[in-house]
């Protein structure tokens, strides 16, 4: 017996699992080999260290939870457990709460004329100041927000390329609209024409509420620069005011309707999430697309990308496990004929793990990654292949 | 380990007859060992609890399949081991990729916050070293050196040949011996 063979049997020796002849041969070798004796001692010490490990105890309440889960009709409980107990659900629930509150505020507001009356005062003053150039007009200040709202509206589109294309088109349309508006703003009395040239992109600007804006606008039109702002602003205000009333931006509102709608303030629209304002874009979604879930209605994903796989089913299963393993949660899912689109919310510190896990599932190509990731990262994965 | 395992037969009998207390007794008696295996293997308390619960639910559903040839605890270890290994391999999930964080969690998982402060460097190193073993070696060394199963019980639980158990255990211990070198006297 050489040293290598002898050392291969150390485990069995320690556990007294050697046959008699094996034991005799090993003992004979050890008697003549000091190195192996020393090595055997270290081996024994190692195993002894293991024996000193602190025992593990199940967490408190474990028995109760198991008994609860094993009850005769536990499926809905287990489902709830699976869906709601992991912490990441906080995100969608918070988002859902925001939506509920927003809708509630809008409904209460629209149902309360006195609230609308009181809300009229402030915007009048704001517009008056804007007309004399004290504060910048809304369309400009809100401009940077538009690209952000675009992806979330197009979230349900079938393809990311399509989506990106749509975002680009939206940008172009907005540029064009802005240019047109600027031109028109310099020609007094073009309000009626403007109505036709307004594009959906105009709706991206948030609505500064105003009544008495016509007076301010008229007054401002005497001076060229403020006039342009006021006109721009006016066009937006009208556009936005129509949205909550008729639900569609492109529909032409008869004068009577418009007057009625002017009586209402645009505030309700402020409370509406972006999807309300971008109604025309909804037409681009497939009919089967479910309504955006709460989380995706509020912001574009932090990371999105394509996962090319050979076996889609396998990848979906793998992704599900991966999400569970990194303590994330699937917040949205859209099944298309080209493959599912899945949104995942995951803690920032787990993102690296998720990323490497995705790379193992297939060819993972994230096409955007946040430079300063939020504490909860939302990742949209499109599985193809 | 703790818990009454000597009267497996009567417990199994009661389970089969649908005695509502029997299942509770089973969970109480075996919770720590099942959870222990899951935690050592997965390195994450939440995941370990989830898996341990799954083990007991399976036992609850399939008690009729238990033939009583092996010890009840061996059967539980078998289910727990299989579920752990499935979970570790099927989802491309490997403990090594969890890095130090998960391994530290394994190390701290066995203790309360107060004890954690006093935990020795050795304990941390030990758990880390176990966490770094490959899954097939880790399960064998966990069952043998932490849970105290015999070679035969391990072979039965993992459905392996005795020789395979022996060689994997030996490899695992050799790995550990290298990793724990500086703690050896």
């Amino acid at each position: 017996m050489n040293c290598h063979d002898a050392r291969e049997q150390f485990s069995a020796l320690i556990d007294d699992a050697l046959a008699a002849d094996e034991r005799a041969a090993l003992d004979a070798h050890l008697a003549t080999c000091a190195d192996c004796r020393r090595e055997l001692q270290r081996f024994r010490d190692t195993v002894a260290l293991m024996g000193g490990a602190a025992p593990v105890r199940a967490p408190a309440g474990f028995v109760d939870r198991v008994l609860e889960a094993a009850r005769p009709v536990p499926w809905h409980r287990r489902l709830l457990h699976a869906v709601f107990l992991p912490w990441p659900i906080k995100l969608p629930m918070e988002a859902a709460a925001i939506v509920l509150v927003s809708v509630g505020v809008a409904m209460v507001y629209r149902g309360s004329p006195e609230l609308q009356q009181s809300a009229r005062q402030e915007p009048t003053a704001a517009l008056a100041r804007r007309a004399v150039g004290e504060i910048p007009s809304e369309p400009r200040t809100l401009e940077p927000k538009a690209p952000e709202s675009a992806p979330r509206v197009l979230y349900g589109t079938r393809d990311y390329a399509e989506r990106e294309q749509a975002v680009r088109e939206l940008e172009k349309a907005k540029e064009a609209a802005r240019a047109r508006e600027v031109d028109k703003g310099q020609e007094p009395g073009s309000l009626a024409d403007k109505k036709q040239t307004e594009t959906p992109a105009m709706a991206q600007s948030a609505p500064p509420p105003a009544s008495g804006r016509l007076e301010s606008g008229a007054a401002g039109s005497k001076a060229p620069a403020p006039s342009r702002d006021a006109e721009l602003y006016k066009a937006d205000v009208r556009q936005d005011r129509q949205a909550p009333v008729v639900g569609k931006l492109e529909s032409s509102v008869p004068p009577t309707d418009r007057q009625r709608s002017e009586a209402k303030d645009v505030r309700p629209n402020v409370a509406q999430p972006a999807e309300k304002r971008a109604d025309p874009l909804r037409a681009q979604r497939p009919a089967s697309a479910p309504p955006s879930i709460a989380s995706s209605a509020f912001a574009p994903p932090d990371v999105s990308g394509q996962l090319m796989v050979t076996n889609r089913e396998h990848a979906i299963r793998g992704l599900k496990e991966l999400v569970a393993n990194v303590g994330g949660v699937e917040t949205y899912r859209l099944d298309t004929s080209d493959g599912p689109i899945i949104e995942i919310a995951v803690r920032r510190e787990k993102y690296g793990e998720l990323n490497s896990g995705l790379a193992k599932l297939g060819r993972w190509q994230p096409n955007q990654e946040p430079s300063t990731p939020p504490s909860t990262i939302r990742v949209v994965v499109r599985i193809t292949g | 380990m703790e818990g009454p395992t000597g009267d497996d037969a009567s417990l199994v009998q009661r389970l089969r007859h649908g005695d509502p207390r029997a299942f509770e007794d089973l969970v109480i008696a075996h919770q720590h060992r099942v959870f222990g295996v899951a935690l050592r293997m997965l390195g994450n308390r939440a995941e370990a609890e989830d898996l341990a619960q799954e083990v007991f639910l399976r036992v609850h559903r399939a008690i009729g399949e238990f033939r009583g040839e092996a010890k009840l605890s061996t059967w539980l270890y078998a289910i727990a081991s299989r579920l752990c290994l499935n979970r570790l391999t099927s989802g491309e999930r490997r403990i090594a990729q969890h890095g130090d964080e998960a391994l530290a969690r394994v190390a701290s998982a066995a203790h309360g916050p107060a004890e954690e402060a006093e935990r020795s460097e050795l304990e941390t190193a030990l758990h880390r070293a176990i966490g770094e073993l490959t899954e097939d070696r880790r399960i064998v060394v966990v069952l043998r050196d932490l849970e105290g199963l015999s070679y035969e019980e391990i072979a039965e639980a993992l459905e392996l040949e005795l020789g395979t158990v022996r060689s994997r255990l030996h490899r695992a211990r050799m790995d550990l011996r290298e990793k724990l070198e500086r703690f050896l006297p």
Side-chain angles (χ1 to χ4, degrees), chain A residues 160-204:
Chain A
Y160 278 91
E162 232 176 78
R163 184 179 110 175
E164 280 159 16
Q165 177 66 29
V167 172
R168 280 195 296 274
E169 282 170 10
L170 186 68
E171 285 300 301
K172 273 189 219 156
K174 205 170 58 167
E175 287 293 329
R178 200 175 299 127
R180 278 198 297 273
E181 285 303 318
V182 167
D183 292 340
K184 295 218 172 271
Q186 287 161 344
E187 304 166 18
S190 61
L191 265 177
D193 293 339
K194 216 175 291 176
K195 178 125 184 138
Q196 275 87 46
T197 58
E198 278 164 4
T199 70
M202 291 300 294
Q204 300 287 335

Side-chain angles (χ1 to χ4, degrees), chain A residues 195-279:
Chain A
K195 178 125 184 138
Q196 275 87 46
T197 58
E198 278 164 4
T199 70
M202 291 300 294
Q204 300 287 335
S205 327
S211 71
R213 76 214 139 59
L214 284 173
E215 292 80 3
S216 311
S221 70
K222 284 165 194 162
S227 156
R228 199 183 58 186
D229 285 349
E231 292 285 73
L232 261 173
Y233 169 64
K234 203 187 297 175
D236 282 352
V237 166
R238 191 181 59 235
Q239 193 70 63
D240 282 314
R241 190 183 306 108
Q242 287 170 8
V245 178
V246 297
K248 279 186 183 170
L249 295 174
E250 64 267 37
S251 64
S252 67
V253 182
T256 49
D257 279 358
R258 212 167 96 199
Q259 279 157 10
R260 198 176 331 128
S261 68
E262 279 171 8
K264 299 181 183 241
D265 192 280
V266 278
R267 278 267 166 111
N269 206 26
V270 179
Q272 306 279 352
E275 42 181 314
K276 187 82 184 173
R277 279 183 264 136
D279 251 1

Side-chain angles (χ1 to χ4, degrees), chain A residues 6-224:
Chain A
R7 292 175 188 192
E8 283 298 297
Q9 298 190 329
F10 282 176
S11 260
L13 176 69
I14 290 173
D15 291 326
D16 215 7
L18 285 177
D21 55 335
E22 288 173 323
R23 176 70 191 255
L26 182 55
D27 282 345
H29 176 80
L30 287 171
T32 60
C33 179
D35 277 352
C36 281
R37 280 200 303 277
R38 202 164 38 246
E39 190 56 33
L40 175 61
Q41 191 52 50
R42 300 187 82 70
F43 202 83
R44 281 188 197 280
D45 292 338
T46 304
V47 176
L49 280 182
M50 302 274 295
V56 172
R57 297 186 66 82
F62 176 76
V63 176
D64 290 339
R65 288 192 286 280
V66 173
L67 295 179
E68 177 71 20
R71 280 192 179 163
V73 194
W75 67 267
H76 58 279
R77 285 177 189 279
R78 262 185 277 165
L79 182 67
L80 284 175
H81 185 273
V83 172
F84 286 109
L85 268 195
W87 69 269
I89 199 68
K90 271 164 66 187
L91 171 73
M93 282 183 74
E94 282 163 1
I98 292 170
V99 170
L100 278 175
V101 169
S102 307
V103 171
V105 166
M107 286 176 69
V108 167
Y109 183 82
R110 292 185 62 182
S112 314
E114 63 274 21
L115 275 179
Q116 295 169 11
Q117 287 293 336
S118 61
R120 282 176 152 185
Q121 309 308 321
E122 186 189 345
T124 311
L127 191 80
R129 275 185 291 141
R130 181 177 298 112
V132 295
E134 276 181 45
I135 53 176
S137 67
E138 287 300 320
R140 287 182 188 168
T141 53
L142 286 171
E143 203 173 300
K145 287 186 183 173
E148 184 186 290
S149 61
R152 75 177 81 134
V153 175
L154 291 164
Y155 189 67
T157 50
R158 285 168 54 85
D159 195 295
Y160 278 91
E162 232 176 78
R163 184 179 110 175
E164 280 159 16
Q165 177 66 29
V167 172
R168 280 195 296 274
E169 282 170 10
L170 186 68
E171 285 300 301
K172 273 189 219 156
K174 205 170 58 167
E175 287 293 329
R178 200 175 299 127
R180 278 198 297 273
E181 285 303 318
V182 167
D183 292 340
K184 295 218 172 271
Q186 287 161 344
E187 304 166 18
S190 61
L191 265 177
D193 293 339
K194 216 175 291 176
K195 178 125 184 138
Q196 275 87 46
T197 58
E198 278 164 4
T199 70
M202 291 300 294
Q204 300 287 335
S205 327
S211 71
R213 76 214 139 59
L214 284 173
E215 292 80 3
S216 311
S221 70
K222 284 165 194 162

Side-chain angles (χ1 to χ4, degrees), chain A residues 299-333:
Chain A
D302 303 301
V303 181
S304 70
Q306 203 167 41
L307 183 64
M308 303 262 289
V309 297
T310 46
N311 182 335
R312 209 183 278 172
E313 290 305 313
H314 179 78
I316 291 170
R317 273 200 307 278
L319 180 59
K320 200 174 165 192
E321 287 187 36
L322 175 64
V323 170
N325 289 341
V326 298
V329 67
E330 181 181 318
T331 53
Y332 176 78
R333 179 168 181 161

